[in-house]
Every structure is written in C-alpha cells, then in structure tokens.
Amino acid sequence: MSESKNNNVEPSTWRFVAKRSCEAVAAYMKEWDRETKEKVSQGEPLIVADVLTPHEILEAMDIPYVLRAFGVTVLKDWLYPTLFTEKGNEHLPDFLTGKEHELFGQCGSCGKAWSNLWKLPKITALILDEGVCSGDAKADELWLGGYDAPVFRLEATATPPFYPRYPGWWEKIKDHWDEMIDPYRLDYRVEELKALIKFLENVTGKTLKQDRFLEVMELVNETQEYFRRARNLIAETVPCPSGLLDQIYIYQLQWHRGTPEVRDLAKLYYEEVKEKVEKGEGICPDERLRIQWVKMQYIWYGDPVLYQQFEEKYGAVFVASLYLSVGADGYARNYLDDPLRALAGRHLFLGLYAGPDWDINEARRHGADGAVMMGVGICPSAHGVLKTTKLAYEASGIPLLFIEPPWTEEKVRSEITDFIETRLI
Amino acid sequence: MNLIKEFVEEKKLEKAFEIMQKYYQERDLAAREWKEKGGKVVGYFCDSVPDEMIFAAGLFPLRISGDPLGGTEEIDKYLEPVYEGFVHSHLDMLLTGKYDFVDFMIIPRSRDSISQQYANLCQIQALDPDLKLPSLYSFEFTHTQTYTSGFYTLERIRGLRKKLEEWAGKEISDESLSEAIAITNESRVLLKKVAALRAAEPPRISGVEALQIIGSSMFMLKKDHNNLLREFLKTADQLPSKEGARLFVEASPLDNLQFYELVESCNATIVAEDNCWGNRYFDGLIDTSIDPVEAIAKRYHQKSPCPYIYYPADLRTEYCLKKAMESKAQGVIFYIFEHDSGQIWDYPTQNKALEKKGIPAICFAGEKYLLSDPDRLKKSIEEFIEDI
C-alpha cells in the first residue's frame, strides 16, 4: 500500500452500511472545513496540533485547529481538503528535497507527512506531542525552519509500549486513572498543560474559561460513551451491524471532540447501529467468520472493495479495529474534582501501544475467529511489537496473519484469502 | 589471575594500557570476578544511568554492549528488524545467556529503541516463562533539558535510589554516594586528559586506543580503572605522535572498534567524537558542593546532549560544532546506523553549521551494526581525506 494510493482514496468508493450517520459526518466535515477556512481568512488564528495533543483546550478556547500526523495523512483529504491552497512545494525545506532526502530512508515518511501541511495558508502556532518518537520531534524543528510560528511541545515522559505497566487498564482507566498513572507523571503533565494554556492565551489573545472547559470535558465523555455503546453492540451482534469502513469513517469525529454536534453525531451512529441490530440487519447476512484488524498501522485502504469480496466469498467480516475500540475504552475520564488533571490522565495513556492484552481482549469481545495485522519496516516506534503481538495471539488460540511488506493489492488479497482458507475455515 | 591485583601489587606500569585493552575485549571479566566473590551485578543500557549510584549501593555497574559478530537469531524470533543493530545484539546476548551473571538490569528512557526494550523484554518473558532474565527496572527521565523537566528527573533519580536500595538490601547513605561521586568525577577528569592528548598537535593517542580506554571504564570498577589510567597518563604525552588527517566522528553509538579501525587505516586519526562510547561519555562533572542526589540529577539532566535530547533544538548542533572545532578537526564523518531516527535528524543542521565554518563533512547513513562493505567505506573515506 503506497502513500499516494492512500491519499487518492475517495470516501465515495467506500461501501458504508451506517449510511445515515456516515453521510451526516461527511456533511459535518464539509461544514467544518468551510467554517474553519472562513474564520482563518477573517483573521482567526490557526493552530496545527498533533493527534494526541489535548484538543480539548483548543476547543474550549474556540481556536481553529488542524492536525498533523502520519496517522492522519490518510484522512487528510477529507479532514481539510480546501485549506490546502496557498503554499507550494517550492517552499519545502532542503531536507525533504534533493539528495538529503535519500539519507532519511524509512524515517523520511514523517517528513513527507509534514510536507502536506506546507499548503496551509498560515500557521499561528504548533502544539506537538513527543508521542512515540523523539526523532520526529527533530523533524518538526527542521520543518519549522520555513514557518515563522512558535511551537509548544508536550513531553511524553515514558516511551511506548507501556505494557506491562497497566494490566487490565480498559476495565478501570475511566474511573481510576489517577491511581493507575504515576502521580509524578501526572504532576509534570499538569504543569505542561498550564503552560500550554498560557502559551495559547498569549499567541491567540483568547482565554480559557473554566465553565467552557468543563463543558468540553463532559461532551468528550458523552461522545466516547456513544462510541462505547456502538462498539459493544457491534461486538456482540451477529451479523455485524457496522463494519470496519463505517467505523473508520465515523472515527474522524474523535479529532473534533468536545462539541455538541460531534456528540450528537456519535449518538446518531450508535442509534443507527442499534436500529440495525433490532432489525437484524448486518453487512453480511451470511456471516460465518469474524476478523479483527489489529493495531492502527496500515488498515487496508487500498481498495475498500477488498472487504466486500471476503464477505461475499467466505462470509468473512472485518468487525473490529483499534479506532472505534480506543474511543470506547481509551478516552473517557471521570474528571473527579480536577478536569485539567483528568485531561493529563487522558493523553498520558490512551491505551495505544499498551501491549497485546487489550487487542486480544477486543478480539474475544468481538468473537473474532482470527486477526490480521500489517506492519514492519517503517519505524521502530510503531512497529517493534508486532512479532510479540503475533506470538501472544497464537498463544491465546487466536490465529493471526501478519502481512509483511511490500504490500500490493494482490498480495494482501492473496494472503488474506490463504489465511481464511487454511486457518479459519 | 586477577590483572588488577597484579598491576597494583607488582606495579607493572607499562601494562596499564594492555590491561585496559584486555578489559575492553573481555567485557564480562571484571563483573564475573565480582560475582565470584559473592557480589551482585547491575547491567544498564546507554550512558544515561548514574553508575555512581549503583556502585554506592555496593553493586557492580556494567554497561551492556553488543557483539556485531554475535548474530541475532534468538531475538529475531521476537522482534522485527526495526531497531539499530546493536539493540538487537544486546537483546540476543541477554536471551542466549551471555549476560547470565547479571542480576539486575536498568533500562533507561534514553533512545526510543532502548527504552522500548523494557516492555519488549517483559513481553518476551511472559511468552517464555522459563527464560532466565535479570530483574528489570525502567528508569525514566525527560528528553528535554528545561527547568521544569529537571524536577521530574530529580524525582526519577530518587526512585532509582529506592530501587537500588531494594536490590542491595541496604540503604544508600549520602556518604557512600559522595564517595562514589568522587571516584566517577576523577574518572571523568582523567579521561579528559586522554581527550586532550588526542586533540593535541600532533595527537598522542589514536581514536582506536581512546575507544578502548574509555570503554574499559564502563566494564571495570572505576576506582580500578582510575589506577590504571593515572599510571598510563604519567608518560602518555611521550607516546609516538599519530599521523594523518585529523577527523571528528559524529556517529550512532559505537561499542566496538570496527569503524575506527577502518577510518584510521586510511591515513587519518580520529581526534574526537560526539559519541556515548567516546568523549561524550565523560563530559560534565558532578557538583560536589550540593546534596549528592540533587547533584547527580543535575549532571544527568544537563549532560551533554545525546541524539535523544531534542530541546533546546540547537543543543546538538552547537555541541557537534564546538567539539569538532576544539579538536581542530580537518573534516567530519557522519556515520549513522540504520533505524537511528534520533541521529539522522540532527544531520541537516549539523552539516550546515559545519559548512558555514568551512569544515567539510561526509555522511554515511543507513549503516549496519556489523560493518558492511568496508571497501566502499574505505574508498569514500580515502577520497574525502584526499579532498581535505
């Protein structure tokens, strides 16, 4: 699967089942895009943020923002299609062009992700999370050389993967995050968040109102609750009422969380899934096999029709992926008396990179007969755990197909076909 | 025979360098001797773990190193080839029992590929409960050197002290910490004298010799190493001068001599480097005028920046430029391993800064841990040297 192919994917080619909610999400995204562009053109600030940075603060301060991250490049054409207009590639820094680029090898993919943002009309400031790779933080610095924008960094303090630090985290993180995550780590992140708020107040001239912040935090919890309910229905219902493509499309909402509209869209999705369950409608009436897509990397976007072929030929349905599941289990926080600390507790540990236990639990929750995982060869930050994950799956009795690169449509199809025929049927 | 004992008792001074060489080659020798006497050994990755605290606890600190010729068959069963080769080598040696004398392991949050091994080793242990691994401890600290992150690092140093006390079965007194600091500070001072002899005109110590002197200090008790080093330095300024182009090396961690031997076989002397197995290891003394734990935290938080320190952003470039210029290098070689994502992103700005100062550089990126295609490297280095 090449990056260019990823970026060429149009949602119109996807076969959605939860059509009402997917269409509503598409309309919301279009309106968001129009509104954001208008605000920015009228002089409002524009912040670029990482996927795992606390967008709740930006939302509560009514600051327009877009995301940068390798994980979002796949969705970029839907997220902000028309904001990309002004700048051209001639402004790209040297390290992304010419012979220097060759030196970066696999690591250059982060640089390529950055290059997409060069088309933004302006950037007021960047908020970056060290996330999983400290090399990435340096790529940011290089990239920033061409933009006159201040940057605020959030430090990770612990490098993923996190297991075995938080066994069974998904059962207790919402209510007991303050007991699970080390107090010193929370203290440090709270200090960083306070500094971030001050930074944003300085660069945008806007202020964070406590009431509004509480409202956003509550809306985020409500949104995740609808994701959780939808995930649970999908997990426990045969035939599966809403498959991988719906789930990924709906999941764009996660990066807009904290508004009543997004909460209502999540609710709409849950209600549509529930309606399908009540009517006994599924994406594949003749469902015989359930498959989980493991980890976030490289869910196959190359040709969405691929999934349909497995449904038709084998009754094999891809029922689960990390996306909806992490919304269901990873984000919600009972904020007790301290919403800022709860926000710190959310982004210090979302459940991503938490080891195979949760993935396996999700496979069991969804009644998965097998699992598919792609990866390796891009960067150590995201891919060092794939073999141990495979071994853990096999040890738990769930067959797992590990598709190694290079990935072509033909190879993915043929390996999944072989996997279904030899291990699942 | 105990080489250190022989050295101390018989004062075979001319052998000081050879003994350091031997401990560099046989890296488990001192630790095994310690173990045989009933002591406990603490292994650690990287240069970010305060070995003075380990020694103050009455434990033997041993920096874990790899073996480019050792293979990675065992660890390949568990990990994809996505880390620098030396990381795979470390882990393979742990899994195959080559470090079976190590009782405890500290895995610092230094480079990403190292810090991830805490979770990976725990997972491997869960998959194979019969595997004998040392007890593991994840030592976390920040990748920035800001005022606020300094407090975080201090807190983690206190956490490390508690863990070491648990392992040692006794408290670490402030007095023992101060004594250990005095020893490691002396080591740093002595190693700086070695660095000065390399940067001298002409150099008196080669890069290959220096790596062995510096490296052996991580495989022996520092007080023993200091004894050897003091004697070695008495006459080191009279060593034969080293010839050839003066080069500075900016490289991924080099825990063996392959690359230096190749470079110095091209009529060149490596007069300094930015490397955690080289000169950067002994930068920065520990302040003896303040509380010892706070002093250790201060030194390790503000130590010379490794490629995984990313803020302030210019630190790495300034360090490279300063050290290259101080050593009066005529050229710089970048030698970066495959998958070293921290080091590679330093290169563009470091190279530009060197260019501005008129210092030529050559870059080898994506290199393997086991030196591959030496003829290709040699040819390029010879051409580079000819140009400068």
Side-chain angles (χ1 to χ4, degrees), chain A residues 227-237 328-329 365:
Chain A
F227 285 147
R228 192 184 70 81
R229 290 184 195 177
R231 187 275 313 268
N232 287 354
L233 282 178
I234 291 165
E236 66 198 26
T237 309
D329 287 341
R365 188 199 295 275

Side-chain angles (χ1 to χ4, degrees), chain A residues 130 138 155 165 383 386-387, chain B residues 76 80 140 143 307 346:
Chain A
E130 188 186 0
K138 293 184 174 187
E155 191 158 11
R165 286 195 183 97
H383 297 264
L386 301 184
K387 273 193 188 176
Chain B
D76 290 347
E80 304 88 311
E140 293 166 359
H143 284 170
D346 285 334

Side-chain angles (χ1 to χ4, degrees), chain A residues 236-282:
Chain A
E236 66 198 26
T237 309
V238 177
C240 175
S242 176
L244 209 57
L245 300 183
D246 286 356
Q247 294 174 28
I248 294 166
Y249 195 73
I250 293 293
Y251 203 66
Q252 294 176 82
L253 296 174
Q254 191 62 273
W255 295 307
H256 295 260
R257 63 186 176 273
T259 65
E261 291 86 352
V262 164
R263 185 265 323 269
D264 292 346
L265 285 165
K267 184 180 178 206
L268 180 67
Y269 178 58
Y270 158 67
E271 287 172 347
E272 194 173 1
V273 170
K274 188 164 172 266
E275 198 179 297
K276 288 188 179 301
V277 171
E278 285 164 357
K279 288 182 182 169
E281 290 176 2

Side-chain angles (χ1 to χ4, degrees), chain B residues 175-218:
Chain B
E175 291 71 29
S176 63
L177 273 177
S178 297
E179 282 168 26
I181 288 170
I183 292 168
T184 52
N185 268 353
E186 187 190 10
S187 172
R188 293 181 182 108
V189 169
L190 294 170
L191 289 170
K192 281 177 200 299
K193 290 181 180 172
V194 173
L197 289 166
R198 292 174 70 191
E201 294 181 287
R204 299 290 169 181
I205 297 172
S206 71
V208 170
E209 290 164 345
L211 278 196
Q212 294 173 87
I213 294 168
I214 301 162
S216 56
S217 77
M218 307 174 209

Side-chain angles (χ1 to χ4, degrees), chain B residues 155-173:
Chain B
E155 199 55 35
R156 300 326 309 135
I157 291 278
R158 288 183 176 137
L160 176 63
R161 180 182 189 167
K162 276 188 194 158
K163 177 51 73 175
L164 288 167
E165 287 175 338
E166 182 191 316
W167 283 347
K170 63 174 187 182
E171 281 191 6
I172 303 174
S173 67

Side-chain angles (χ1 to χ4, degrees), chain B residues 46-324:
Chain B
C46 292
D47 68 344
S48 323
V49 175
D51 57 351
E52 39 279 282
M53 290 185 82
I54 300 171
F55 184 66
L59 305 166
F60 187 101
L62 176 74
R63 183 168 175 184
I64 300 295
S65 61
D67 175 5
L69 295 167
T72 54
E73 198 178 316
E74 196 56 31
I75 194 63
D76 290 347
K77 292 177 190 167
Y78 297 102
L79 295 185
E80 304 88 311
V82 293
Y83 302 112
E84 303 92 322
F86 65 86
V87 178
H88 291 271
S89 175
H90 290 162
L91 298 175
D92 196 80
M93 290 171 78
L94 275 167
L95 263 53
T96 52
K98 295 191 177 70
Y99 282 113
D100 60 359
F101 57 94
V102 173
D103 301 283
F104 312 104
M105 275 286 301
I106 299 172
I107 303 175
R109 182 177 178 256
S110 45
R111 57 180 52 230
D112 302 333
S113 56
I114 288 290
S115 49
Q116 288 179 22
Q117 300 322 319
Y118 173 70
N120 284 339
L121 284 170
C122 290
Q123 184 62 24
I124 290 168
Q125 181 77 83
L127 288 165
D128 181 0
D130 296 333
L131 190 66
K132 189 179 170 293
L133 287 175
S135 303
L136 305 174
Y137 179 69
S138 172
F139 172 49
E140 293 166 359
F141 49 83
T142 55
H143 284 170
T144 65
Q145 295 188 337
T146 62
Y147 179 76
T148 325
S149 70
F151 291 105
Y152 184 87
T153 298
L154 173 60
E155 199 55 35
R156 300 326 309 135
I157 291 278
R158 288 183 176 137
L160 176 63
R161 180 182 189 167
K162 276 188 194 158
K163 177 51 73 175
L164 288 167
E165 287 175 338
E166 182 191 316
W167 283 347
K170 63 174 187 182
E171 281 191 6
I172 303 174
S173 67
D174 283 354
E175 291 71 29
S176 63
L177 273 177
S178 297
E179 282 168 26
I181 288 170
I183 292 168
T184 52
N185 268 353
E186 187 190 10
S187 172
R188 293 181 182 108
V189 169
L190 294 170
L191 289 170
K192 281 177 200 299
K193 290 181 180 172
V194 173
L197 289 166
R198 292 174 70 191
E201 294 181 287
R204 299 290 169 181
I205 297 172
S206 71
V208 170
E209 290 164 345
L211 278 196
Q212 294 173 87
I213 294 168
I214 301 162
S216 56
S217 77
M218 307 174 209
F219 308 132
M220 304 172 63
L221 288 178
K222 285 249 176 356
K223 61 179 180 181
D224 291 339
H225 193 264
N226 287 351
N227 284 336
L228 294 168
L229 205 43
R230 269 195 303 272
E231 292 304 323
F232 171 76
L233 285 166
K234 278 180 182 169
T235 53
D237 59 349
Q238 290 152 41
L239 287 167
S241 58
K242 306 296 178 188
E243 306 296 336
R246 299 171 64 89
L247 297 178
F248 181 86
V249 168
E250 177 67 54
S252 298
L254 294 172
D255 65 3
N256 61 77
L257 303 177
Q258 296 174 100
F259 182 64
Y260 273 35
E261 283 174 344
L262 183 132
V263 173
E264 293 192 330
S265 73
C266 301
N267 190 28
T269 298
I270 297 169
V271 290
E273 62 276 311
D274 173 11
N275 200 274
C276 58
W277 289 94
N279 283 357
R280 200 175 68 234
Y281 172 70
F282 50 83
D283 275 343
L285 297 181
I286 295 177
D287 187 346
T288 53
S289 67
I290 58 174
D291 170 78
V293 172
E294 287 180 18
I296 289 170
K298 188 174 143 194
R299 191 266 170 186
Y300 283 87
H301 180 245
Q302 294 175 5
K303 76 183 181 65
S304 298
C306 83
Y308 288 83
I309 297 294
Y310 63 78
Y311 190 84
D314 296 332
L315 266 184
R316 290 275 305 147
T317 300
E318 285 166 10
Y319 184 81
C320 168
L321 193 60
K322 180 171 180 271
K323 295 296 175 183

Side-chain angles (χ1 to χ4, degrees), chain A residues 73-146:
Chain A
T73 52
V74 67
L75 298 174
K76 77 173 176 55
D77 292 337
W78 316 340
L79 282 176
Y80 28 92
T82 56
L83 282 174
F84 289 87
T85 51
E86 307 297 325
K87 285 182 178 267
N89 284 350
E90 70 271 19
H91 300 293
L92 286 177
D94 291 346
F95 76 96
L96 282 178
T97 58
K99 66 174 184 181
E100 277 188 0
H101 184 239
E102 299 302 312
L103 295 174
F104 293 95
Q106 294 164 339
C107 208
S109 59
C110 284
K112 284 180 193 164
W114 270 119
S115 67
N116 292 325
L117 292 176
W118 269 88
K119 297 169 192 167
L120 288 173
K122 71 171 181 186
I123 295 177
T124 309
L126 285 100
I127 306 170
L128 300 170
D129 192 307
E130 188 186 0
V132 295
C133 174
S134 42
D136 195 21
K138 293 184 174 187
D140 299 341
E141 295 291 343
L142 287 172
W143 179 82
L144 264 177

